[in-house]
Amino acid sequence: METFLGLDYNIWWFLVFGAVISGYAILDGFDLGAGSLHLFLTKEQSRRIALNAIGPVWDGNEVWLVIGGGALFAGFPVAYAAIFSAFYVPFMVFLVGLIWRGVAIEFRSKEPGVLWRKTWDIVYCAASIIISLSLGLMLGNVAYGISLNEHKEFSGNWLSFFNFFSIMVAITTLALFMMHGAIYLTMKTESRLYTKLYLLARQFIIFFVLSFVITTLYTLLYVPHLSDFFRDHPSSFIVPILMVLAIANIPRLLKKGKYQYAFIFSSATIALLLIMVALEVFPYLLYSRGNPQNSITVHNAAASPKTMKILLIIALIGTPLVGTYTSFVFWTFKGKVKLDETSY
């Protein structure tokens, strides 16, 4: 099998896909978190500032989701077909949430009426929560495993997605995004609103830690296949250690007022959590619970070696370009939010 730097192209594309999904989770994660906590902000000016903090970047952050879907389709078409057919209902809920979130952001400022704006505030918050929970639920089921037949097709009932493990992953995802979003908003706000967001961030850190501990304990006790990799490779335990250190650093940095560093460590927490999931499920892209031989892996789901090689070249060129554009947008709109006549 042809390799690049000692790894075959299937593994490289798995890494590329993971990196893109991590980028989406970090970038759209704070958008979703800011939306999920929106109703905790009671004043009109506070809500406007929060919306304008994400206003220049939220739609651009969704580009990483499109890239992730394209990477899965191009590199692992069998997995793409199985995942999108199996998770049809959660994906539809997720997409409806994306639509209503965008509509709420754009429509809210079109009329000055109190009822009009409160209605769209509720829609915006509810849509952000639904999106976060849907993402967590799908991630939980990918890790936990679903029923697949010998043709690599989903053979279960979509109600089986609501198992305790996946529900806890969904709640943990929501808590993580709310913490991430609150920290981002502290970077963009000042005065009383900054103080309120600082307090909210500390509460969401507690929410996340409790959810994460419960999920981890349940995983160790009832989902043993997810801890096999760490038992077989003791050196890989450095990943959860780094993640715990990153989480522990967040409240310390917030207390010192170093919210930009707190945001970096919050982003690192998301990345390390996804690295842990990748290590736990590899080489599976979709684990067949009960019939592991029917599982979809990076090898039996991959496109041809030539296709993978071409895709990797395209990714090595295109992904840095998207990253550069994203960095430019954040640099352009850096600093505290100031409201003017063009604001939401």
Side-chain angles (χ1 to χ4, degrees):
M1 181 177 293
E2 192 174 357
T3 63
F4 176 68
L5 298 178
L7 296 177
D8 64 59
Y9 290 113
N10 298 21
I11 296 177
W12 272 113
W13 199 247
F14 178 77
L15 295 174
V16 169
F17 175 70
V20 170
I21 294 301
S22 297
Y24 171 72
I26 291 170
L27 294 173
D28 207 28
F30 70 75
D31 294 337
L32 294 171
S36 299
L37 64 82
H38 191 66
L39 295 183
F40 284 93
L41 309 177
T42 55
K43 294 182 179 180
E44 168 67 11
Q45 184 175 1
S46 297
R47 292 181 176 181
R48 288 189 66 201
I49 291 173
L51 277 170
N52 282 277
I54 69 161
V57 297
W58 70 270
D59 47 355
N61 291 340
E62 290 182 354
V63 170
W64 291 86
L65 177 65
V66 177
I67 296 174
L72 184 63
F73 171 74
F76 303 109
V78 176
Y80 178 91
I83 290 173
F84 276 79
S85 60
F87 297 114
Y88 185 82
V89 173
F91 265 121
M92 288 299 102
V93 173
F94 169 73
L95 290 175
V96 169
L98 284 177
I99 292 169
W100 280 106
R101 180 181 67 153
V103 170
I105 292 173
E106 297 298 335
F107 276 29
R108 185 189 187 277
S109 61
K110 301 305 180 185
E111 294 288 343
V114 175
L115 180 60
W116 173 269
R117 294 195 169 190
K118 284 187 175 180
T119 299
W120 288 117
D121 284 336
I122 294 171
V123 172
Y124 171 54
C125 182
S128 299
I129 292 172
I130 288 170
I131 294 168
S132 301
L133 291 174
S134 298
L135 284 170
L137 190 72
M138 289 185 282
L139 176 63
N141 277 285
V142 167
Y144 186 69
I146 64 174
S147 297
L148 294 173
N149 60 26
E150 63 275 10
H151 302 295
K152 316 298 182 188
E153 297 172 346
F154 179 56
S155 58
N157 188 308
W158 68 270
L159 290 175
S160 65
F161 296 151
F162 295 94
N163 54 78
F164 183 81
F165 174 79
S166 298
I167 290 173
M168 282 308 305
V169 172
I171 293 172
T172 303
T173 301
L174 174 62
L176 177 59
F177 285 172
M178 292 179 82
M179 176 190 75
H180 195 48
I183 295 171
Y184 176 77
L185 291 179
T186 60
M187 296 195 301
K188 308 295 288 184
T189 56
E190 51 194 350
S191 303
R192 291 184 178 181
L193 180 55
Y194 163 79
T195 302
K196 182 166 188 174
L197 286 164
Y198 166 76
L199 295 174
L200 285 174
R202 292 184 67 87
Q203 293 172 7
F204 294 141
I205 290 171
I206 296 172
F207 178 28
F208 165 65
V209 170
L210 288 175
S211 302
F212 177 70
V213 168
I214 294 171
T215 305
T216 301
L217 289 175
Y218 185 87
T219 303
L220 293 173
L221 292 173
Y222 300 107
V223 196
H225 75 270
L226 291 181
S227 55
D228 288 344
F229 180 87
F230 292 99
R231 281 196 295 266
D232 297 338
H233 303 83
S235 60
S236 64
F237 202 67
I238 188 65
V239 176
I241 290 175
L242 290 173
M243 186 192 61
V244 171
L245 292 175
I247 296 171
N249 253 317
I250 295 171
R252 184 183 67 85
L253 291 166
L254 279 176
K255 189 174 182 179
K256 290 185 174 183
K258 298 180 179 179
Y259 33 80
Q260 291 177 326
Y261 290 105
F263 182 75
I264 291 173
F265 275 93
S266 178
S267 301
T269 299
I270 295 175
L272 289 166
L273 274 169
L274 289 173
I275 289 172
M276 279 185 61
V277 173
L279 291 174
E280 289 169 343
V281 302
F282 185 83
Y284 301 112
L285 292 170
L286 196 57
Y287 181 72
S288 178
R289 192 166 183 82
N291 296 288
Q293 69 276 7
N294 295 336
S295 299
I296 298 173
T297 70
V298 296
H299 300 292
N300 64 23
S304 67
K306 185 177 181 180
T307 300
M308 299 293 277
K309 184 176 181 178
I310 295 172
L311 287 174
L312 185 60
I313 295 172
I314 294 172
L316 290 174
I317 297 172
T319 304
L321 291 176
V322 177
T324 301
Y325 161 76
T326 302
S327 300
F328 174 76
V329 171
F330 276 88
W331 177 260
T332 302
F333 294 98
K334 68 181 185 297
K336 304 292 184 181
V337 174
K338 304 293 184 183
L339 296 179
D340 55 35
E341 65 277 3
T342 64
S343 301
Y344 284 107

